[in-house]
Amino acid sequence: MTETLPPRTSDLPAKWNPGEVEGGMYQRWVERGYFEADPSSDRPPYCIAIPPPNVTGSLHLGHAMDHTLIDILTRRRRMQGYDTLWLPGMDHAGIATQSVVERRLADAGEPTRRELGREEFVRRVWEWKAESGGAILGQMKRLGDGVDWSRERFTLDEGLSRAVQTVFKRMFDDGLIYRAERLVNWSPALQSAISDIEVDHKEVEGELVSMRYGDGDAEIVVATTRVETMLGDTGVAVHPDDERYAHLVGRTVRMPITGRDIPVVADPYVDPEFGSGAVKITPAHDPNDFEMGRRHGLPMPTIMDESGRITGTGTRFDGMDRFAAREAVREELRAQGRIVAEKRPYVHSVGHDSRTGVVIEPRLSLQWFVRVEALAKAAGDAVRNGDTTIHPADMSARFFDWVDNMHDWCISRQLWWGHRIPVWYGPDGETVCVGPDEEPPTGEGWARDEDVLDTWFSSGLWPFSTLGWPDKTEDLERYYPTSALVTGYDILFFWVVRMMMFGTYAMGATPFRHVYLHGLIRDEHGRKMSKSKGNVIDPLELIDAYGADALRFTIARGSNPGTDMSLSDEWVAASRNFTTKLWNATRFAIANGADAAAGLPATESLTDADRWILGRLHQVRQQTDALLEDFQFAKATEGLFHFTWDELCDWYIELAKPQLADPASTTAANTRAVLGHVLDALLRLLHPIVPFVTEALWTGLTGGESVVVAAWPTDAGLAADPAATERVLAVQRLITEVRRFRTEQGLPDRRSVAAKLGGLEAAGLAGHERAVRFLTRLDEPGDDFAPTATVEIGNTHVEIDTSGAIDVAAERARLGRDLAAAQKELDAAEKKLGNPKFTEKAPANVVDGIRARREAAAADIARVTARLEALPSS
RNA sequence: GGGCGCGUAGCUCAGCGGGAGAGCACUCGGCUUACACCCGAGCGGUCGCAGGUUCGAACCCUGCCGCGCCCA
């Protein structure tokens, strides 16, 4: 009896309560140092740097996706014996953080940023950073992130600031960073320059106004969507070959309103087919006009201030907002009879500040730039020559398109929160760039540049600055280049490309061997989540409701490379159900003495079911490995889900029940060993995806210290047994058909039904009768056995005593459906085989397969037809 | 305007040259000692449309329609 069972019994609670357990479990993992890297170890290194979240935000589902996928990769490597480092940290998010703190000051009725002064304001931001950053760290712990907390970094910490200054100085000296007066994307909302990729071009309905400059024989018509810019016009351009205007080139026309005389120039940029064929030139407020202005040496007056108000034109429009001025100037021109035509609405593309949504105003100003040509080429080469592989490969096209056509990068921002540009200007026009170990110039008239660097400048150094660069640290030596980068495709240009540019420049090597770009998480209908739509889901709420494992499993299961995924409460609930299923199955196994330490019995002593499940485990393990190596998270997860639920739980555990019925038997002992072995391996395979529930179950099953540091399953040396598998599949078909018959005859599961099984011996299934009876609830026939129906499956049949008349109509319907299906199959097969071209050209194995299907279908038809004819007429 | 991608069961998505699949939803039956967050059985699809290639096309090619993303 029970004394033959192993003494250990399950102390797992009946129900898995993630909320009660996860926190303490995570704490123990950290305390035991499982997540800490050890550069002195002789194990191979594996390193991933976290995509640093904005310190001022909070983690959303996109982060949860990053973190889940990185955790899967790093937990697996750790189990495989790698010295694994997942390095955590945050970036300072210059604009976002400064904006938040300014708003908080305003909300609290405190002095403004300018009233506080730079030093005091920055001190306040650090206070906010401590508060906001702490919340993010808590979120990461809830998710179960296996990060090395001892190596946490922040883009504005001392070491990383030193890295920024070092790179800046080196690039400045190399001529890769320069300062120039250029037309930049100016955000009147942020009152700062922003880079090209922080601008979104959107189609808007505006107006196209044609107006007449000059008078008499020196008159010319130009069109614009921004009438107010005419206040800054310093020229009119026509195409050199345009005979209509040849007589005007070289002359001047008199501007309305300002009364300035501006030259008419010839420039091949002008499209003579568009509009009147003449364009106005506002060099300080339009990129194309700026280039033309330069070519023709035109003056470049700035007519707007930093917040987008007209200034310095000496007209009554000074002080007016640019959009108000647009109307006012237009009406003034109309009053003067200068409007020739108006097109409204006129749909055209307008740049918007991607953060605030306000319309960008091109603005002439003195800014710092990175000369990107050589850097971008090096980044492109890293992918071209295979040092870095982009997954999925389709994304490489976008990558190349970008790096091959990159413009210089504006890196200065008119903010206070960030890395201040390490350049001092002297009283006599000197410019001195100061390295980290150098003293800045002092004395009368010297002043430091007021601006800070784009946050992406510092996060671009992340893969090596976090490892200690510019010092030659042990970590840097060991973990750079990092093994992989996992992030969303939406920041390929913002971040990934920049890291590759800086990495190849500063380190001489691309920062990561693999880049996995995942998609975005959308709502249940595939819509983007946004506050305005009100469809944002907070990952913490999902974790509270269903546990971290359920959220992680959902994300892993939905993460197909390069495509977005939909997520809703229901998906996560389904994943929670999976963890519950796993919990119950393992508890059942432990309660029945599953023994992971027993070692696998000799194959000869195992049942077909044992051999089948072990063979499937072997396949699933191989498949999981191959898929995870290839960043195919969804397929790997789906495969484990299917194996766990549809094979292990639905079939093996059910088949194991009769095998366990006599605990003293060898069969039962073997079954306990197989159950233990399979679950031990399965829990380890699942651990990277669902770390918490597998930890509870694996330690409960094996008594081991922690699955976090357990060995990743490897080949157990099992030979596949196709014959056993074939028999198990035949048993499954047999059972399913009997169940189908029972259901359609309305025979309740509890109702005792006697039956006689036939043909099992001939089909090689003699040993499975007990299992079939157990899973179909068929009793042994008694003395009064009087079969009323027969179910045939292949060469086996089951005579069933339904104790009374059967439902002939239901049976006729059931058989009728079977007949129709078989007939359809037969027709399809015969059609193919009747085509001589098919039999000639198709591969032999395909033709043989179709022939076999034809035979099977024909046999089915004969059997079912006979059965139908034998039915009593109703 | 240029480039990329997607249209497969009610919903979300796999499959990408030889028997149309999964999860959720739905219908019917069941609290059968692992699990009702469950079990069993089922219903559900001219694989966007039209041509072409092929013995054979959801899958390859062309065009069209619809949707999305990136870049200008």
Side-chain angles (χ1 to χ4, degrees):
Chain A
M1 294 287 285
T2 50
E3 61 269 11
T4 60
L5 294 174
R8 183 178 46 78
T9 53
S10 166
D11 52 4
L12 294 173
K15 213 169 165 355
W16 166 238
N17 264 318
E20 291 173 9
V21 184
E22 287 172 350
M25 203 178 260
Y26 186 83
Q27 188 68 31
R28 278 194 297 284
W29 291 337
V30 172
E31 281 164 6
R32 290 177 187 164
Y34 291 159
F35 303 140
E36 281 183 36
D38 176 10
S40 68
S41 89
D42 53 10
R43 292 172 294 154
Y46 187 84
C47 176
I48 294 183
I50 200 170
N54 287 355
V55 69
T56 206
S58 61
L59 298 193
H60 54 245
L61 282 170
H63 295 108
M65 185 170 225
D66 265 358
H67 294 207
T68 297
L69 303 183
I70 294 172
D71 211 28
I72 290 171
L73 294 176
T74 52
R75 282 180 186 266
R76 171 164 171 267
R77 291 299 182 201
R78 189 175 295 115
M79 293 173 77
Q80 285 179 320
Y82 287 79
D83 167 34
T84 303
L85 170 58
W86 178 9
L87 196 152
M90 288 176 272
D91 79 35
H92 61 279
I95 291 173
T97 306
Q98 176 161 325
S99 304
V100 166
V101 174
E102 288 198 78
R103 193 159 53 240
R104 285 166 61 91
L105 288 173
D107 289 349
E110 295 208 53
T112 65
R113 167 166 72 98
R114 296 197 188 280
E115 286 163 355
L116 285 175
R118 187 163 190 148
E119 199 177 329
E120 174 60 15
F121 177 75
V122 169
R123 197 184 64 74
R124 298 291 187 97
V125 185
W126 276 103
E127 281 178 11
W128 162 247
K129 182 261 171 191
E131 184 182 325
S132 178
I136 289 178
L137 303 186
Q139 287 181 300
M140 291 174 63
K141 291 172 183 171
R142 292 292 308 279
L143 277 165
D145 294 352
V147 298
D148 183 345
W149 290 111
S150 72
R151 286 176 165 80
E152 186 196 341
R153 302 306 295 263
F154 178 54
T155 46
L156 268 178
D157 70 26
E158 199 183 327
L160 269 62
S161 298
R162 185 178 163 79
V164 166
Q165 194 174 352
T166 304
V167 164
F168 190 97
K169 167 73 172 164
R170 195 179 289 182
M171 292 177 73
F172 179 88
D173 291 345
D174 285 349
L176 291 172
I177 285 181
Y178 64 93
R179 192 181 194 219
E181 184 165 55
R182 288 277 176 83
L183 208 59
V184 296
N185 303 296
W186 186 266
S187 169
L190 302 171
Q191 303 206 8
S192 173
I194 57 179
S195 66
D196 292 347
I197 50 176
E198 288 163 296
V199 177
D200 290 337
H201 294 270
K202 286 187 272 195
E203 302 268 285
V204 298
E205 289 188 353
E207 59 184 17
L208 183 66
V209 177
S210 298
M211 52 202 180
R212 184 169 46 85
Y213 287 1
D215 289 292
D217 65 339
E219 155 180 313
I220 196 160
V221 171
V222 296
T224 181
T225 55
R226 295 151 72 211
V227 178
E228 74 284 5
T229 61
M230 63 85 64
L231 300 172
D233 282 359
T234 56
V236 171
V238 298
H239 194 274
D241 302 334
D242 195 332
E243 292 177 3
R244 291 173 295 175
Y245 302 114
H247 67 288
L248 287 176
V249 174
R251 297 176 59 183
T252 62
V253 292
R254 174 150 301 178
M255 292 282 296
I257 299 181
T258 63
R260 265 203 304 266
D261 290 320
I262 61 172
V264 177
V265 302
D267 194 296
Y269 160 80
V270 180
D271 175 8
E273 304 295 322
F274 183 80
S276 64
V279 298
K280 59 195 277 303
I281 306 175
T282 325
H285 293 275
D286 180 278
N288 295 319
D289 294 8
F290 177 72
E291 294 304 323
M292 280 198 287
R294 275 226 291 225
R295 282 196 288 273
H296 300 284
L298 300 177
M300 302 192 172
T302 290
I303 60 153
M304 277 179 226
D305 67 12
E306 292 168 355
S307 58
R309 278 190 298 265
I310 304 295
T311 187
T313 67
T315 67
R316 67 178 176 90
F317 305 105
D318 281 0
M320 215 178 263
D321 175 77
R322 52 188 169 151
F323 298 111
R326 182 167 305 170
E327 289 183 35
V329 171
R330 188 216 307 134
E331 293 316 308
E332 172 72 29
L333 290 170
R334 191 192 309 286
Q336 294 185 13
R338 292 281 174 175
I339 303 290
V340 177
E342 289 171 276
K343 197 171 179 184
R344 196 180 294 111
Y346 179 75
V347 177
H348 61 128
S349 183
V350 176
H352 294 70
D353 172 1
S354 61
R355 211 178 312 267
T356 65
V358 307
V359 174
I360 287 300
E361 194 60 45
R363 182 178 170 82
L364 193 59
S365 62
L366 201 53
Q367 304 284 349
W368 288 94
F369 295 86
V370 170
R371 201 182 301 283
V372 298
E373 192 180 353
L375 300 171
K377 181 175 185 311
D381 287 346
V383 174
R384 272 184 273 268
N385 66 26
D387 290 344
T388 293
T389 307
I390 295 177
H391 308 264
D394 316 353
M395 286 287 177
S396 305
R398 265 191 207 184
F399 171 85
F400 288 127
D401 187 54
W402 176 259
V403 296
D404 293 344
N405 300 291
M406 204 171 168
H407 299 299
D408 281 0
W409 170 20
C410 176
I411 51 171
S412 42
R413 296 289 179 274
Q414 286 64 58
L415 305 172
W416 286 352
W417 176 242
H419 300 95
R420 191 160 173 184
I421 289 170
V423 171
W424 274 256
Y425 305 107
D428 301 314
E430 304 98 321
T431 295
V432 177
C433 179
V434 176
D437 296 319
E438 298 166 357
E439 286 301 316
T442 51
E444 193 69 18
W446 283 89
R448 185 172 185 175
D449 195 295
E450 291 290 326
D451 292 346
V452 302
L453 289 166
D454 184 359
T455 306
W456 294 111
F457 190 97
S458 49
S459 38
L461 314 181
W462 188 253
F464 48 96
S465 63
T466 52
L467 293 171
W469 190 90
D471 295 331
K472 288 195 171 75
T473 61
E474 196 180 19
D475 278 4
L476 187 67
E477 182 64 32
R478 182 169 174 77
Y479 302 112
Y480 192 94
T482 64
S483 311
L485 178 83
V486 176
T487 193
Y489 63 71
D490 53 327
I491 56 171
L492 178 62
F493 308 141
F494 285 98
W495 191 46
V496 180
V497 169
R498 269 119 183 216
M499 283 190 285
M500 294 182 68
M501 285 164 45
F502 283 129
T504 48
Y505 173 72
M507 296 293 296
T510 180
F512 19 72
R513 305 205 184 287
H514 297 277
V515 175
Y516 176 72
L517 297 168
H518 63 245
L520 276 34
I521 294 193
R522 295 169 176 276
D523 76 2
E524 61 198 302
H525 297 298
R527 296 172 309 184
K528 214 167 180 170
M529 289 189 186
S530 72
K531 279 181 192 160
S532 54
K533 285 202 202 89
N535 60 349
V536 175
I537 305 178
D538 178 355
L540 283 192
E541 284 179 17
L542 292 173
I543 292 174
D544 288 341
Y546 303 110
D549 289 331
L551 175 59
R552 295 169 59 114
F553 193 82
T554 307
I555 288 170
R557 197 177 180 191
S559 183
N560 279 301
T563 54
D564 295 348
M565 71 167 291
S566 289
L567 186 142
S568 78
D569 208 75
E570 286 176 2
W571 302 170
V572 185
S575 297
R576 183 273 318 271
N577 295 352
F578 173 76
T579 62
T580 306
K581 188 73 178 175
L582 189 64
W583 181 266
N584 287 319
T586 308
R587 248 173 37 93
F588 167 83
I590 293 173
N592 283 277
D595 190 350
L600 283 178
T603 308
E604 303 80 58
S605 65
L606 295 175
T607 66
D608 283 345
D610 297 336
R611 297 181 198 198
W612 165 71
I613 200 68
L614 289 169
R616 282 293 299 141
L617 172 68
H618 177 70
Q619 289 174 339
V620 168
R621 187 195 62 69
Q622 283 188 324
Q623 172 199 317
T624 303
D625 264 335
L627 290 168
L628 288 179
E629 284 295 329
D630 197 31
F631 302 94
Q632 304 265 9
F633 299 98
K635 290 186 180 66
T637 307
E638 188 65 28
L640 290 167
F641 174 88
H642 172 70
F643 175 76
T644 303
W645 203 310
D646 303 335
E647 298 188 309
L648 181 63
C649 291
D650 282 356
W651 288 107
Y652 183 71
I653 287 182
E654 294 306 320
L655 292 169
K657 284 174 182 173
Q659 295 186 16
L660 290 163
D662 176 7
S665 67
T666 306
T667 302
N670 288 351
T671 304
R672 292 192 293 268
V674 171
L675 257 182
H677 176 85
V678 172
L679 273 170
D680 174 20
L682 176 62
L683 291 168
R684 284 182 283 148
L685 289 169
L686 280 167
H687 173 257
I689 306 170
V690 281
F692 293 107
V693 70
T694 50
E695 174 76 329
L697 292 173
W698 189 84
T699 53
L701 176 73
T702 65
E705 177 189 306
S706 171
V707 69
V708 176
V709 289
W712 183 251
T714 51
D715 190 350
L718 301 158
D721 189 339
T725 296
E726 199 43 60
R727 287 192 293 271
V728 169
L729 295 181
V731 167
Q732 291 180 358
R733 279 195 296 274
L734 180 53
I735 290 169
T736 300
E737 283 304 314
V738 174
R739 284 171 171 168
R740 189 173 160 225
F741 172 82
R742 288 191 60 130
T743 294
E744 298 191 359
Q745 284 299 313
L747 297 170
D749 291 346
R750 299 198 81 169
R751 169 132 166 240
S752 171
V753 178
K756 193 180 279 179
L757 307 188
L760 292 187
E761 193 86 35
L765 304 179
H768 293 88
E769 177 161 347
R770 188 176 177 188
V772 172
R773 288 187 177 281
F774 177 74
L775 293 177
T776 53
R777 294 172 190 280
L778 294 179
D779 295 342
E780 295 284 351
D783 295 338
D784 56 347
F785 183 64
T788 49
T790 302
V791 177
E792 298 191 64
I793 308 97
N795 296 319
T796 59
H797 60 271
V798 182
E799 292 174 86
I800 301 175
D801 179 357
T802 57
S803 35
I806 64 159
D807 181 341
V808 175
E811 184 64 354
R812 196 179 293 282
R814 181 177 78 90
L815 292 169
R817 278 197 300 276
D818 287 352
L819 185 61
Q823 190 65 51
K824 190 178 169 192
E825 173 79 358
L826 182 69
D827 291 348
E830 286 189 330
K831 190 181 169 197
K832 285 198 173 188
L833 292 168
N835 179 354
K837 287 182 177 170
F838 172 71
T839 47
E840 278 165 28
K841 296 199 175 182
N845 63 323
V846 172
V847 177
D848 290 347
I850 300 289
R851 287 213 177 93
R853 284 168 55 192
R854 180 178 62 183
E855 309 314 320
D860 284 348
I861 287 171
R863 246 194 320 270
V864 175
T865 305
R867 188 59 49 201
L868 274 168
E869 285 167 357
L871 280 178
S873 51
S874 47

